Amino acid sequence: MPSSPTASQPQESHSVDANARVNTIGQLNLSGYYQWLKGLEPEQLASEVALQQSRKTQDNPDADLFLLLLRSLPSTSIHNPYTAKAMLNQGEFNQYIYANVSPADLAFVTMLRDQLNQQLLLIQANEKTMEQSQQEIAKLTVKLAMYQQANTSLNEKLEQLKAIEAQLNAREHQ
């Protein structure tokens, strides 16, 4: 399994360029890391998530950056655009980003922020649509129950009429 990148030591991986995650001056390369993540198998992603969570508990300052990207990647177990966006809204974390990533990666983070905003808007629109659909289903369920009750009542009346007809027929044949 490819090992995850660190700012101080680029590591060999299945990617074409071992420096894709860390640039030549040891600065983080978030876009390269994200691309590297996209090439991982699910079990490798799970392992990377566990590694970055472990690095975070060891107070590794880059772990939050890597976890941000892992939370932004839909195929990870910790995918959560709300959490990722909340991370980007933290002032102290933003200061860390501006101090530790290249100008190109600042553009990448800005694009990621825009993408997360779009995802959240789509999620909210989807939730609103689902809520409206559920309300419509509830209304239709009430109508269906009314129609079923009316149908039951009409069937009962039909049975009563059949019984009356049968009684009348029986009287006529006597």
Side-chain angles (χ1 to χ4, degrees):
M1 180 183 93
S3 55
S4 83
T6 63
S8 60
Q9 59 186 78
Q11 307 216 349
E12 294 300 317
S13 73
H14 70 281
S15 67
V16 176
D17 181 0
N19 291 322
R21 292 170 311 283
V22 178
N23 67 24
T24 55
I25 59 171
Q27 199 171 33
L28 295 176
N29 182 344
L30 296 180
S31 57
Y33 178 73
Y34 190 81
Q35 188 171 2
W36 176 77
L37 289 174
K38 296 281 289 173
L40 297 180
E41 297 296 321
E43 55 278 347
Q44 293 171 316
L45 274 172
S47 183
E48 181 66 10
V49 167
L51 175 67
Q52 295 305 331
Q53 288 173 331
S54 171
R55 290 176 74 217
K56 180 178 172 75
T57 62
Q58 297 167 3
D59 293 326
N60 184 307
D62 298 334
D64 275 334
L65 285 168
F66 295 133
L67 285 169
L68 167 68
L69 296 182
L70 286 161
R71 285 186 176 100
S72 301
L73 188 66
S75 57
T76 64
S77 61
I78 63 169
H79 174 253
N80 188 329
Y82 288 102
T83 303
K85 181 65 168 74
M87 289 177 74
L88 284 172
N89 287 340
Q90 293 173 358
E92 190 175 305
F93 185 59
N94 264 321
Q95 290 173 359
Y96 183 80
I97 290 171
Y98 281 95
N100 291 285
V101 301
S102 68
D105 277 338
L106 285 177
F108 176 75
V109 170
T110 300
M111 181 192 67
L112 180 61
R113 182 187 315 269
D114 292 343
Q115 182 184 36
L116 290 169
N117 283 335
Q118 279 302 115
Q119 283 182 14
L120 296 179
L121 288 173
L122 289 172
I123 288 169
Q124 289 171 351
N126 188 38
E127 287 172 351
K128 184 176 180 181
T129 300
M130 285 180 56
E131 184 179 317
Q132 289 171 341
S133 295
Q134 289 172 344
Q135 290 172 354
E136 188 63 28
I137 288 170
K139 289 177 186 176
L140 291 172
T141 302
V142 168
K143 279 186 180 180
L144 178 61
M146 286 176 21
Y147 290 142
Q148 286 174 333
Q149 184 180 11
N151 187 41
T152 300
S153 175
L154 288 173
N155 281 333
E156 287 172 359
K157 288 179 183 178
L158 181 62
E159 290 302 318
Q160 290 171 353
L161 288 173
K162 284 181 183 178
I164 292 170
E165 182 182 23
Q167 289 175 355
L168 290 175
N169 283 339
R171 284 185 192 168
E172 286 179 7
H173 292 318
Q174 287 180 354

